[in-house]
Amino acid sequence: MPTLIVFCHLRWDFVFQRPQHLMTRLAEHYNILFVEEPVHSEGQAHLQKTAVAPNITVCRPHTPIENTWGFHDDQLPTMQRLLADLVPEGERPVVWFYTPMALPLLQNFDPSLVVYDCMDELAAFKNPPKQLLQRESALLNIADLVFTGGPSLYEAKKDRHANAHCFSSSVDAKHFRQALDSAISHPEQAKIAGPRLGFYGVIDERFDTDLVRQMAAAHPEWQIVLVGPVVKIDPAELPRADNVHYMGQRNYDELPKFLAGWDVCLLPFAMNDSTKFISPTKVLEYMAAEKLSVSTPITDVKVPYGDVVAIASTADEYIAACERMLALGESEQAQLVERMRDIVANTSWDKTAGRMHELISTTAPGAARTAAAAVLEGGTAARVNPLPVAQKSAA
């Protein structure tokens, strides 16, 4: 079984999202070594290896280097030593990047193929590394395959790489259909009265704290349930009210249990640079659970799903949209649910991973660098994998 080395800025045991969905499926074809960012540890540097799933080993570097984070330049020489024997001499692994910051570590290997899965525009996030844009340009020149996490990112990257492919966020429908049974509602929200309006995900600079604050103030009877870790924002900025409930980070298996007890699902993203290119995985998970949802006008939600997800630009509009969803009649709700089923039926992480594996298996090493002369003459649509929208082209 060939080896696939993944360099990722997200820890395996953080929120279960695109990297975990894809790697647990690609592990059917590859022995996956998932290399995380280093953590500080006193004493001699070492590489901690943990088997987390069949054919998946998480490699966590421990180094004594202080005052640095991520794949920082100060960490790289130590990491190169720790990874020197990661694969046997002569083996040519597929090397997969989620962050361009790890690119210098590629010199440790003789890759059979280089893949860049661009799931976010990391340079738009809070406090990005100063070398990020330069290193991404280098990665785009080196990579044989580029995947993007949604249409907006694809539009931003397609002219920078001759072998770029759009793979929008997908869904594990079976997992989230568990939420159709209201009896499984999480016991920790049993004492929270209805109606419940819920969100799960990372609460960071992409989350519109002021919007949620205004919602809570406008409708004290609404119970707003927020599930997920708080990252990179001051907890003092979070909305605090009797009807706002923070449940903390939860594991993937618990998410359908929270969904089962919600009346409306929220996508309250701030409209800023960090959300310009996001393609939220949760929008399809909400649909798989057949839950009504309201979003701010995120492009990768509004364009493909604006007919089933309520879209609202201002706080007043968002509150009004939530009011409409809560008051929706049975026939109107049934029409939306039918549309959700059509959308969800057209996608799965299994299909996405399968198509990615096919591309890896059929792409010649160095193809990206030799194909530059044949860039895009009307052929971009072939590299845009269909969005999970029934009877709708993604071209």
Side-chain angles (χ1 to χ4, degrees):
M1 182 176 283
T3 297
L4 192 160
I5 300 172
V6 183
F7 290 102
C8 191
H9 58 293
L10 301 171
R11 300 210 178 276
W12 183 268
D13 57 3
F14 190 51
V15 175
F16 198 94
Q17 50 191 303
R18 183 182 180 96
Q20 292 89 340
H21 278 297
L22 290 174
M23 294 307 142
T24 51
R25 289 160 175 82
L26 289 171
E28 182 179 338
H29 309 286
Y30 305 93
N31 174 35
I32 294 174
L33 302 174
F34 189 90
V35 181
E36 296 184 343
E37 296 179 339
V39 297
H40 180 262
S41 181
E42 297 294 342
Q44 187 173 2
H46 63 280
L47 188 66
Q48 176 187 355
K49 295 182 179 180
T50 306
V52 294
N55 296 331
I56 301 177
T57 300
V58 170
C59 303
R60 179 174 295 178
H62 289 251
T63 79
I65 301 167
E66 296 183 310
N67 302 319
T68 63
W69 55 274
F71 293 102
H72 190 280
D73 286 354
D74 290 349
Q75 298 276 6
L76 296 180
T78 300
M79 290 193 68
Q80 286 170 341
R81 291 195 297 272
L82 294 178
L83 300 177
D85 300 321
L86 195 61
V87 297
E89 186 175 353
E91 183 173 352
R92 303 189 67 209
V94 175
V95 180
W96 179 303
F97 291 92
Y98 276 108
T99 171
M101 292 305 296
L103 181 59
L105 296 171
L106 184 63
Q107 63 185 295
N108 269 43
F109 309 100
D110 179 19
S112 61
L113 210 71
V114 176
V115 180
Y116 177 27
D117 187 11
C118 182
M119 64 178 282
D120 285 307
E121 188 65 271
L122 296 177
F125 283 21
K126 191 174 183 179
N127 301 322
K130 61 182 180 181
Q131 308 98 324
L132 182 59
L133 288 176
Q134 181 183 17
R135 211 158 280 178
E136 184 186 54
S137 293
L139 178 55
L140 286 167
N141 286 330
I142 291 170
D144 300 290
L145 272 171
V146 172
F147 303 141
T148 70
S152 294
L153 271 174
Y154 178 73
E155 290 300 315
K157 307 297 180 186
K158 67 179 184 180
D159 293 335
R160 300 179 64 191
H161 198 279
N163 200 16
H165 304 258
C166 179
F167 286 99
S168 296
S169 295
S170 195
V171 66
D172 180 351
K174 181 180 178 181
H175 183 73
F176 288 95
R177 284 196 187 110
Q178 296 177 77
L180 297 175
D181 180 6
S182 60
I184 73 164
S185 179
H186 203 291
E188 291 185 34
Q189 64 186 4
K191 294 182 179 180
I192 300 174
R196 300 190 195 107
L197 294 82
F199 165 90
Y200 63 74
V202 180
I203 300 172
D204 58 13
E205 71 267 32
R206 295 168 293 177
F207 185 87
D208 194 333
T209 54
D210 190 56
L211 171 58
V212 173
R213 185 178 292 107
Q214 291 186 58
M215 288 176 60
H219 283 278
E221 76 280 11
W222 290 357
Q223 303 301 314
I224 300 173
V225 181
L226 305 176
V227 178
V230 177
V231 178
K232 293 196 294 184
I233 59 173
D234 186 346
E237 296 179 12
L238 298 174
R240 301 290 180 183
D242 290 342
N243 60 333
V244 179
H245 309 272
Y246 293 92
M247 312 305 291
Q249 183 171 345
R250 299 304 177 113
N251 64 47
Y252 185 63
D253 290 339
E254 291 179 277
L255 299 184
K257 298 177 182 179
F258 281 103
L259 276 174
W262 294 351
D263 300 287
V264 172
C265 291
L266 306 175
L267 294 115
F269 290 107
M271 300 304 295
N272 57 35
D273 288 345
S274 70
T275 60
K276 185 177 180 180
F277 298 103
I278 65 171
S279 182
T281 304
K282 62 183 64 60
V283 65
L284 288 169
E285 295 169 349
Y286 291 168
M287 288 188 203
E290 299 183 4
K291 295 293 182 179
L292 304 174
S293 57
V294 181
S295 178
T296 49
I298 298 300
T299 301
D300 286 3
V301 177
K302 179 181 178 180
V303 173
Y305 310 127
D307 61 334
V308 64
V309 177
I311 305 296
S313 298
T314 68
D316 287 345
E317 291 174 358
Y318 200 97
I319 292 166
C322 290
E323 292 169 346
R324 289 196 304 275
M325 288 300 186
L326 287 168
L328 213 59
E330 287 187 13
S331 62
E332 293 174 297
Q333 186 166 342
Q335 290 177 7
L336 287 177
V337 166
E338 188 61 32
R339 177 77 176 119
M340 293 179 201
R341 291 172 180 169
D342 288 344
I343 291 170
V344 171
N346 279 273
T347 187
S348 73
W349 285 114
D350 291 339
K351 291 180 182 177
T352 299
R355 177 62 181 143
M356 288 178 167
H357 171 58
E358 180 183 343
L359 286 166
I360 292 171
S361 301
T362 57
T363 296
R369 297 181 283 282
T370 58
V375 174
L376 304 184
E377 293 182 337
T380 59
R383 297 194 299 280
V384 182
N385 295 270
L387 285 169
V389 181
Q391 301 177 344
K392 188 169 184 176
S393 172

